[in-house]
């Protein structure tokens, strides 16, 4: 599912670096790890390939430096673009290895002639980002702040087609459309036409450059990570993925179980069930959980007594009579034309703008004629970093893996089930992925549903982390995934939305405990957790 950037809270979701690359030390296996031999043999994996190659090089240098990369070892993994076509061209994927912050001493006693060497925990952890299409390197500050490299090396690789890869499947044409779209109705015909024009331009440019769009899929992504482990000569490692990265991590575990010590998945997007209509269930679950949490807090329930009705009324009202405003984006600059209709309102909520704790207050203000919070959030989309997001990867995966087997009518049917009585114009668009079926007809990549929509069955120790306020990948989906993972631990964190670990100190402790003891993590901090208090505004502040 599309990435949610925690710091910017937008709808979609470095550095001085050592030029020389030093290979990461070989890591020992853990006695508590699962046996790969107990995992079913891989199915539907890529065909034979030439040995992968790692090319040391300088780290990327984005406009906003990332401090952790000043000590990182970087380079590119060179792999076939399409493993089903031997002898074809290769692509290069950007890699960074961030050293452990805390080093562990060896058992050897130091002497004046031979000081003790310091080394990290036995197994490094490799990260699989959300999206698909998000700038993976942009996640590094959150990973470091969450302690992912506290006592072990952290390995980050941009999924094929992402920023800093060669090729990069960015679509600045789509970014420019997104900036323009804030001044259009979310589901307006003009918006659809402009978006399709942007997508057509991007596809034509990428294919003219020789890009094989069919090769940018989850199976190839998983093979890339398997190749990375071999190229770095790492016997075993741990895996952490969130959102689409959880989908990728489970696919990787299914196809390439060898060398995996433990897997943690956060904000689960199960490969066997993810389709475009599926998104509606997660949206309804996340929003319902937010409203129920408000109802459970006396102050919130007293101040905002019927949030489901308020939301429905506002969606209907705005879809019938959209607001057109001139709004200054939160980042500053000149006011921009901003249209707030029912579809825009829903998608801002799914994107956590405003934050869940502020949502009841924002809806109350809106119902009293004050749309400021939502209007500002909508206007924020007028500022886009053109070229940072790999929309080409998003479309290749969405159109080959999530769209096949379903249609626009299936999306509408799922929307009606999730939100009975809402306008069909709102419910016809997949949350966060408007006009995706017309886009897919234009993108034209092969159907991969049969090979991708497969459950992962494994005895490798697995941690499944979910947030109750997640309106992109609903927390309830964790149960079905955990049933197929015989040594899994499920953690449900109250009051947290999409991508739980960076937002929850408790989840960070659980994750650290899991990687230390994969079969017996300490989850006690979750007991008694409750959502933080919702924002309560005086009644006379709700209107203009």
């Amino acid at each position: 599912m599309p990435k949610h950037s925690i710091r910017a809270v937008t709808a979609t979701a470095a550095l001085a670096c050592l030029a020389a690359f030093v290979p990461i030390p070989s890591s020992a296996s853990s006695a508590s790890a699962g046996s790969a031999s107990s995992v079913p043999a891989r199915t539907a994996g890529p065909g034979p390939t030439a040995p992968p190659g790692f090319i040391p090089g300088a780290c990327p240098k984005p406009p906003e430096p990332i401090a952790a990369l000043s000590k990182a070892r970087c380079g590119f993994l060179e792999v076939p673009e399409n493993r089903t076509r031997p002898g074809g061209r290769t692509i290069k994927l950007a890699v960074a290895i961030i050293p452990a912050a805390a080093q562990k001493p060896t058992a050897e006693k130091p002497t004046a002639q031979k000081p003790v060497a310091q080394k990290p925990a036995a197994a490094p952890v490799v990260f699989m980002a959300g999206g698909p299409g998000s700038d993976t390197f942009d996640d590094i500050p959150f990973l470091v702040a969450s302690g992912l490299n506290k006592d072990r090396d952290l390995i980050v690789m941009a999924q094929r087609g992402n920023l800093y890869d060669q090729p990069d499947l960015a679509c600045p044409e789509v970014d420019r459309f997104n900036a323009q779209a804030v001044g259009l109705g979310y589901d307006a015909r003009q918006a659809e036409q402009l978006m399709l024009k942007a997508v057509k331009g991007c596809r034509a440019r990428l294919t003219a450059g020789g890009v094989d769009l069919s090769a940018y899929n989850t199976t190839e992504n998983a093979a890339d990570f398997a190749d990375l482990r071999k190229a770095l000569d790492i016997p075993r490692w741990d895996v952490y993925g969130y959102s689409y990265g959880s989908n990728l991590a489970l696919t990787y575990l299914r196809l390439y179980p060898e060398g995996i010590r433990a897997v943690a998945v956060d904000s689960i997007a199960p490969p066997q069930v993810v389709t475009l209509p599926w998104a509606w269930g997660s949206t309804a679950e996340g929003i319902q959980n937010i409203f129920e949490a408000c109802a459970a807090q006396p102050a919130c329930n007293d101040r905002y007594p019927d949030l489901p009705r308020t939301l429905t009324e506002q969606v209907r009202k705005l879809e019938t009579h959209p607001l057109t405003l001139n709004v200054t984006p939160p980042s500053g600059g000149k006011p921009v034309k901003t249209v707030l209709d029912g579809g825009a309102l829903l998608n801002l909520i799914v994107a956590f703008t405003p934050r869940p704790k502020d949502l009841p207050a924002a809806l109350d203000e809106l119902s009293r004629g004050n749309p400021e919070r939502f209007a500002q959030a909508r206007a924020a989309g007028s500022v886009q970093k053109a070229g940072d997001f790999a929309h080409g990867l998003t479309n290749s995966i969405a159109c080959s893996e999530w769209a096949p087997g379903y249609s626009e009518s299936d999306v509408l049917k799922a929307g009606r089930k999730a939100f009975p009585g809402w306008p069909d114009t709102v419910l016809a668009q997949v949350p966060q992925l408007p006009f995706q079926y017309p886009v897919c007809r234009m993108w034209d990549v092969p159907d991969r549903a049969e090979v991708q929509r497969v459950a992962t069955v494994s005895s490798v120790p697995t941690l499944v982390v979910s947030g109750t306020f997640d309106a992109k990948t609903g927390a309830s989906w964790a149960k079905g995934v955990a049933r197929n993972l015989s040594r899994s631990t499920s953690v449900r964190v109250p009051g947290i939305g999409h991508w739980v670990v960076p937002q929850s100190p408790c989840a960070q402790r659980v994750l650290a405990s899991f990687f230390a003891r994969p079969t017996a993590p300490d989850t006690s901090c979750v007991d008694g957790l409750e959502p933080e208090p919702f924002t309560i505004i005086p009644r006379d502040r709700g209107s203009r």
Side-chain angles (χ1 to χ4, degrees), residues 268-318:
I268 189 75
Q272 67 270 32
V273 300
V274 174
T275 63
L276 294 182
W278 168 86
W280 275 116
S282 290
T283 296
E285 179 184 351
I287 293 174
Q288 179 181 346
N289 285 346
I290 295 171
F291 289 172
E292 288 180 352
C294 174
Q297 295 181 12
C300 191
N301 187 54
D302 178 67
R303 181 64 184 82
Y304 316 112
D306 196 351
L307 288 171
R309 178 183 58 80
T310 301
L311 175 59
T312 295
E313 287 178 350
Q314 293 309 304
V315 168
R316 289 174 173 170
K317 179 180 178 181
L318 289 174

Side-chain angles (χ1 to χ4, degrees), residues 36-125:
S37 63
S38 63
V39 182
R42 74 177 63 160
T43 58
T49 69
F54 190 86
I55 306 168
C59 291
K61 296 183 178 180
E64 299 179 11
I66 299 174
L69 288 175
S70 64
K71 298 180 180 179
R73 307 187 296 272
C74 295
F76 290 95
L77 178 73
E78 187 169 15
V79 294
E81 182 178 47
N82 190 330
R83 290 173 172 84
T84 67
R85 298 175 182 172
R89 76 171 189 167
T90 60
I91 60 176
K92 294 180 180 179
L93 313 181
V95 178
I97 301 178
I98 301 165
Q103 303 292 320
K104 290 189 175 183
T106 66
E108 182 182 358
K109 294 184 178 180
T111 66
Q113 293 77 26
K114 188 178 181 181
V116 172
Q118 304 290 306
K119 61 181 182 180
V125 58

Side-chain angles (χ1 to χ4, degrees), residues 314 373 445:
Q314 293 309 304
R373 294 190 201 232
V445 287

Side-chain angles (χ1 to χ4, degrees), residues 225-237 252 258-259:
F225 280 92
D227 281 351
L228 178 65
R229 184 184 65 83
K230 295 175 183 176
L232 296 180
D233 193 26
I234 299 173
R236 306 191 87 184
W237 63 10
Y252 172 59
E258 59 272 18

